[in-house]
Every structure is written in C-alpha cells, then in structure tokens.
Amino acid sequence: EVVSMFIGRERELESLKEEFHVKDVVYLNIVTSGLNPNTSEIIEIAAIKIVGDKILKFNTLIKPFEEVPASIFGHCKNLKEDDLNKAPTIYQLKNKFIEFIEDYPIICHDLNSKKSFLDKYIFNDKKAKNQFLDSMQLGVILEPYHSDYSLSYLIQNITNLKKDVRN
C-alpha cells in the first residue's frame, strides 16, 4: 500500500509532507496472511514517521509461524516465501516497532482491520497509547466531495503521485 510505496522515495515523500503540512505522525501499513487475526498473522510492517522536519522509516518482513496461503503471494507484489522465512519473528521485533512509533498518532487505511492485528500481535490486547486515525475517514472529512475513498482512488485524485497502489 502507500507506505510500502514510499520506502526509498524520500524526495516524493518530502513533497507530500510540504503539500499536506503533516508533522509528528506515523503512517502505517501492515500486510497480513489473511483477514482474521485469530487465524492469520502480520507478515510485513511498513511505517513512516514524520517528526518535525525528519522522516524516519521502519520496514520489515515478519517470519510467520504458519504457512502463508498462496493467494497472498499473488496479491503482494515482490513478496516471496523464502524472504519471509529469513525474516525475524514478530516477537523479535515488536519492541523495536513500539519504540519506533512512540506515542505519535498513527494513520492507516482500513483501520479496524489493521488495529485488530496490532492489538493481538503488537500490543498483546493491552491499550495502545497512540491515537489511531483511518485515512479513509480522514478523506471523507477533508475531501467530502469525492465519490470513492479507496486508497487507490485517494492517491490518484488528491496527490500528485498518479500511481496504482498495490502491496
């Protein structure tokens, strides 16, 4: 999704930061092996933290404990099973991720789904100290005259990126 798309593209991110005057926030995307946090796992975390004028990145694959369905590899561009098997486990990196996000507000698309996985695998069903915002809801509030609020539509129509968004 959009966060993964910006890894390695600091110039475009800097342009967006100026365009939207956004500071002191974390943009987050997670990729999961399915839709249900009780039967699926987080297999990738990509986050960009903007603090003042600094842009910091956190991007990692996560080694799953269960087999990842083949359909996931079809939906996720450049994701390979071998890369997942070489990655750290969620338990090896969750504290590093919690340190990265600190207590900054977190913006992600499809918040309810993402938050259910974060609650289970990162926060261990404890209350997170971060405020969570859904980019779809922000789109409705900030750009109420659009007919679609999917991530692809928002990227195509309210930014200058003009990219098709895929994992």
Side-chain angles (χ1 to χ4, degrees), residues 26 28 30 45-47 58 93-102 106 118 122-123:
V26 175
L28 172 68
I30 62 172
I45 297 175
F58 185 98
L93 60 78
K94 77 176 185 175
N95 288 337
K96 188 184 290 188
F97 176 68
I98 290 170
E99 288 173 19
F100 177 81
I101 62 173
E102 300 179 61
I106 295 174
L118 291 170
I122 301 295
F123 303 118

Side-chain angles (χ1 to χ4, degrees), residues 117-149:
F117 278 89
L118 291 170
D119 287 343
K120 180 171 176 100
Y121 291 103
I122 301 295
F123 303 118
N124 298 335
D125 295 319
K126 297 176 187 165
K127 177 134 175 68
K129 57 186 174 181
N130 308 76
Q131 176 186 10
F132 286 85
L133 305 165
D134 190 319
S135 59
M136 189 179 304
Q137 291 173 339
L138 289 174
V140 170
I141 293 166
L142 299 173
E143 301 276 335
Y145 43 84
H146 291 281
S147 60
D148 184 0
Y149 293 93

Side-chain angles (χ1 to χ4, degrees), residues 30 32-42 66 91 111-122 125:
I30 62 172
T32 63
S33 62
L35 300 176
N36 183 338
N38 294 318
T39 57
S40 305
E41 302 172 72
I42 298 173
E66 302 291 330
Y91 302 111
L111 176 64
N112 290 337
S113 173
K114 304 269 192 305
K115 185 125 176 17
S116 67
F117 278 89
L118 291 170
D119 287 343
K120 180 171 176 100
Y121 291 103
I122 301 295
D125 295 319

